[in-house]
């Protein structure tokens, strides 16, 4: 097929977005492009929609790499091959980039390189004996000495001696606990050096992740052996990244930038797997030159919806450690157990010395169904996954269903089997909705009730892989709404009704609500009358909830079921993953793993066709345009 025919096929087809087609049309009119180059530009734009930062030329097999380079050389104002004249497309690393995303990648790579140099200097300046004395009370050595190191302790030491660091680990491995102890250690170091306390900020990509981190930090801080004065120097308020940076409506720019940097000495970002390269670049621009940055997250979770897979790239060798001998020797001074020899490598990169991986889950028993299933999925062992799903584990439920409409009892109670103790359905939170305060109740009583409704709603959540189709978000939400209405648990004679859960689908800077925030519509007492209002969890620690009138919420959708992507940063007592009845490109190992690890006590999998689960587990996402780790 000729270039012209291929181009026409894409312009008339459904693969390319309207944006991709518009870009091709614009440059063809402006530059009189060869059909082959128009096809190249369209595919480069389309690659961004697939999460890639660039388009490898090897993926465009119509021409050899040399032929592509020769074609691009005919348009020096459009393609940068060597001389940088701010052309819209850049050829580098045997791939084609859009200028903006090439700039993001270069900015991040430069920061990582510089941070490695600063971290080496910082580590040399820290007295290991002093650091060990600060670590000992927070990470006491077990009476029965283990042959394995305390990875929370060592990750804390790595971060304490780095200007940039990453702490990664699966659910329940203690990322929050580790970072709270780290902040105490750093503030104590400041005190012992006669310096002023660090100005620390905590942030997360979404509002619900911010609220969850805030709660975890407070709970952890209360249990630690430190003075009240020292604990007061560890912040408990958590902001969304967009709020921290000062997002501007209808703009990609932020108020905080290189010219107006953030007023802080240290920034901790939780759920960093959700960070895309554009947001990361904006964050680095606003970071003061002296400030430290710590990323927390699970490297195996789904990457951002936007382009890039930052966490996965940063932690691509975390399992293997790749610690240099001098790094291991330095850490061994702080540990009761030596770094295992198989985690030491003479080929380790500088950046890998700044990454700590937590390797023991305290949430799940290693022999539990959830732990075994998550590990098998992560390893890509599809046959083992199938066997675990069908085994009799108390914390796992596997249902083969071809139509969600037949799952009414499951939606109400969450139980596939009567003996499932941890099961919760939607009736759990709806019972709390019905226990509304009286018309005369004080505002504080009303707010605490609404806060309890939100907490109870997180007991049970349906997660879908796709939006359309019989087992997609849109149809499942309609089915659940009908089931709950028939059971007399909701009255939805209108669009808004008491008990309706909604998710914000677009940032609303006027209301301070971000994409992914979840609220519950409630019939609340107000000045002696009943009125509908939507309760959202409050980022403000002085308030239990925040109320918004339904009329002000223009970009929301019903949220009995949400996509797995939207669930990141959340934890549910009982999480239910609903797979589609046909294969979808979104099905992947990362999606299944993320769905499983949203569950705290019970995980249910609804899968009409077992072979789809096999395909998903065997399919690992690979995004082009890696942040280079050769610094």
């Amino acid at each position: 097929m000729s270039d012209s025919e291929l181009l026409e096929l894409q312009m008339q087809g459904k693969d390319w977005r309207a944006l991709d087609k518009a870009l091709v049309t614009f440059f063809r009119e402006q530059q009189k492009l060869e059909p082959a180059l128009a096809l190249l530009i369209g595919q480069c734009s389309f690659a961004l929609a697939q999460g890639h930062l660039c388009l490898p030329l090897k993926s465009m097999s119509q021409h050899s790499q040399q032929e592509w380079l020769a074609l691009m050389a005919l348009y020096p104002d459009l393609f940068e091959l060597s001389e940088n004249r701010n052309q819209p497309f850049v050829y580098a690393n045997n791939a084609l980039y859009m200028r903006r995303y090439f700039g993001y990648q270069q900015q991040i790579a430069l920061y990582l390189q510089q941070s490695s140099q600063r971290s080496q200097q910082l580590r040399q300046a820290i007295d290991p004996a002093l650091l060990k004395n600060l670590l000992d009370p927070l990470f006491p050595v077990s009476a029965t000495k283990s042959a394995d190191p305390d990875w929370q302790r060592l990750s804390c030491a790595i971060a304490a001696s780095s200007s940039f660091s990453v702490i990664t680990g699966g659910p329940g491995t203690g990322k929050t606990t580790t970072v709270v102890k780290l902040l105490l250690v750093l503030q104590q170091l400041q005190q012992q050096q006669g310096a002023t306390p660090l100005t620390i900020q905590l942030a997360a990509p979404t509002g619900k992740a911010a609220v969850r981190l805030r709660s975890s930090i407070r709970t952890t801080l209360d249990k630690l052996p430190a003075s009240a004065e020292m604990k007061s120097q560890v912040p408990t308020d958590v902001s969304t990244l967009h709020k921290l940076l000062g997002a501007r409506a209808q703009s990609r720019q932020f108020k905080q930038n290189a010219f107006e940097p953030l007023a802080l000495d240290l920034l901790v970002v939780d759920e960093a797997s959700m960070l895309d390269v554009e947001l990361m670049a904006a964050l680095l621009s606003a970071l003061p030159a002296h400030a430290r940055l710590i990323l927390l997250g699970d490297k195996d979770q789904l990457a951002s919806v936007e382009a890039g897979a930052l966490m996965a790239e940063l932690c691509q060798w975390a399992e293997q450690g790749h610690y240099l001998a001098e790094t291991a020797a330095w850490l061994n001074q702080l540990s009761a157990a030596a770094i295992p020899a198989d985690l030491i490598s003479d080929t380790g990169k500088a950046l890998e010395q700044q990454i700590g991986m937590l390797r023991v889950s305290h949430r799940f028993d290693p022999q539990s169904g959830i732990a075994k299933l998550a590990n098998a999925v992560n390893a890509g062992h599809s046959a083992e996954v199938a066997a675990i799903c069908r085994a009799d584990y108390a914390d796992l439920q596997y249902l083969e269903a071809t139509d969600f409409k037949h799952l009414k009892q499951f939606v109400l109670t969450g139980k596939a089997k009567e003996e499932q103790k941890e099961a919760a359905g939607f009736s759990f939170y709806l019972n709390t909705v019905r226990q509304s305060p009286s018309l005369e109740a004080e505002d504080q009583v009303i707010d605490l009730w609404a806060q309890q409704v939100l907490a109870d709603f997180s007991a049970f959540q349906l997660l879908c892989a796709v939006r359309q189709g019989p087992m997609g978000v849109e149809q499942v939400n309609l089915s659940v709404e009908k089931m709950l209405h028939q059971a007399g648990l909701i009255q939805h004679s209108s669009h808004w009704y008491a008990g309706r859960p909604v998710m914000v689908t677009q940032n609303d800077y006027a209301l301070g609500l971000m994409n992914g925030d979840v609220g519950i519509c409630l019939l609340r007492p107000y000045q002696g009358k009943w009125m509908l209002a939507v309760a959202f969890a409050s980022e403000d620690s002085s308030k239990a909830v925040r109320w918004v009138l339904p009329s002000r919420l223009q970009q929301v959708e019903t949220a009995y079921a949400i996509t797995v992507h939207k669930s990141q940063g959340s934890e549910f007592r009982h999480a239910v993953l609903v797979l589609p009845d046909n294969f979808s490109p979104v099905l992947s190992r990362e999606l299944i793993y993320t769905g499983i690890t949203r569950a705290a006590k019970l995980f249910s999998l609804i899968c009409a066709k077992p072979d789809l689960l096999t395909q998903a587990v065997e399919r690992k996402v690979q995004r082009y345009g890696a942040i280079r780790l050769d610094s």
Side-chain angles (χ1 to χ4, degrees), residues 283-499:
L283 181 61
L284 296 180
S285 292
L287 204 64
H290 73 280
R292 299 187 191 210
L293 175 61
I294 301 167
L295 302 184
L296 306 178
D298 186 342
K299 66 181 179 62
D300 298 312
Q301 277 192 32
L302 279 168
S304 163
V305 176
E306 305 298 332
L310 190 64
M311 194 71 173
E313 292 298 338
L314 292 173
C315 300
Q316 60 181 305
W317 298 111
E319 294 273 1
Q320 294 77 19
H322 276 216
Y323 294 118
L324 296 170
E326 53 263 38
T327 302
W330 192 85
L331 290 173
N332 287 343
Q333 298 176 71
L334 307 168
S335 174
I339 301 289
D342 60 351
L343 298 182
I344 302 173
S345 169
D346 58 5
T347 61
K349 307 300 183 185
L351 183 62
E352 289 161 351
Q353 315 313 301
Q354 299 159 230
I355 296 172
M357 180 173 173
L358 308 181
R359 299 165 186 266
V360 179
S361 176
H362 304 282
R363 181 188 301 172
F364 305 124
D365 182 319
Q367 299 307 310
S368 69
I370 292 177
K372 284 180 173 291
L373 185 60
N375 291 336
V377 167
N378 241 345
H381 297 158
S382 56
E384 185 180 351
V385 167
I388 292 169
C389 284
R390 296 184 181 280
D392 188 20
Y393 286 100
D395 58 342
L396 283 183
Q397 296 184 143
Y398 179 78
L399 298 88
E400 284 191 12
T402 56
D403 189 338
F404 199 84
K405 294 176 182 177
H406 298 305
L407 295 170
K408 180 176 179 180
Q409 188 58 34
F410 179 73
V411 167
L412 298 182
T413 67
K415 294 183 179 183
K417 296 179 282 187
E418 279 305 314
E419 61 269 23
Q420 296 287 357
K421 295 180 180 179
E422 296 294 345
F426 288 123
S427 59
F428 181 71
Y429 93 93
L430 287 170
N431 285 333
T432 310
V433 170
R434 290 201 295 269
Q435 296 167 13
S436 60
S438 67
L439 277 174
E440 297 75 27
E442 296 181 357
D443 288 347
Q444 184 180 10
V445 173
I446 298 167
D447 289 354
L448 289 174
W449 162 69
Q451 187 180 52
Q452 188 62 52
V453 171
L454 287 167
D456 289 351
F457 179 71
S458 69
F460 180 78
Q461 183 65 62
L462 296 170
L463 309 174
C464 295
V466 296
R467 292 196 59 81
Q468 275 83 40
M471 307 297 264
V473 165
E474 294 175 1
Q475 188 57 51
V476 169
N477 270 315
L478 290 173
S479 297
V480 170
E481 210 165 37
K482 184 176 181 180
M483 293 174 196
L484 296 177
H485 179 65
Q486 290 174 342
L489 292 173
I490 62 171
Q491 303 295 325
H492 73 299
S493 55
S494 62
H495 186 57
W496 288 100
Y497 56 86

Side-chain angles (χ1 to χ4, degrees), residues 48 112 167 183 201 232 261 298 377 426 432 488 515 568 599:
L48 284 175
L112 295 176
I167 299 176
L183 298 182
Q201 292 271 13
S232 70
D298 186 342
V377 167
F426 288 123
T432 310
N515 188 352
Q568 287 181 270

Side-chain angles (χ1 to χ4, degrees), residues 27 51 62 123 169 239 255 338 342 356 367 374 384 395 417 435 444 449 469 515 517 524 540-541 552 588 590 613:
F27 282 115
Q62 300 91 330
R123 187 162 298 174
S239 169
K255 295 175 183 176
D342 60 351
Q367 299 307 310
E384 185 180 351
D395 58 342
K417 296 179 282 187
Q435 296 167 13
Q444 184 180 10
W449 162 69
N515 188 352
D517 286 350
R524 62 165 293 198
D540 185 345
S541 58
R552 300 194 65 191
S588 68
E590 291 84 353
L613 177 61

Side-chain angles (χ1 to χ4, degrees), residues 215-268:
S215 175
S216 298
I217 287 176
R218 288 177 174 177
T219 302
T220 302
L221 203 55
D222 287 342
K223 300 175 182 177
L224 295 181
S227 67
E229 179 188 1
M230 195 54 62
K231 288 182 180 181
S232 70
Q233 294 176 12
V234 175
T236 56
D237 283 339
V238 185
S239 169
T240 62
L241 279 170
H242 283 80
K243 184 175 180 180
L244 179 72
L245 293 172
R248 299 176 186 273
Q250 310 301 322
S251 173
R252 305 180 87 104
Q253 304 303 313
F254 293 93
K255 295 175 183 176
Q256 310 298 145
N257 51 46
F259 304 102
E260 294 287 342
L262 294 163
L264 52 80
D265 301 310
L266 188 154
L267 175 62
V268 177

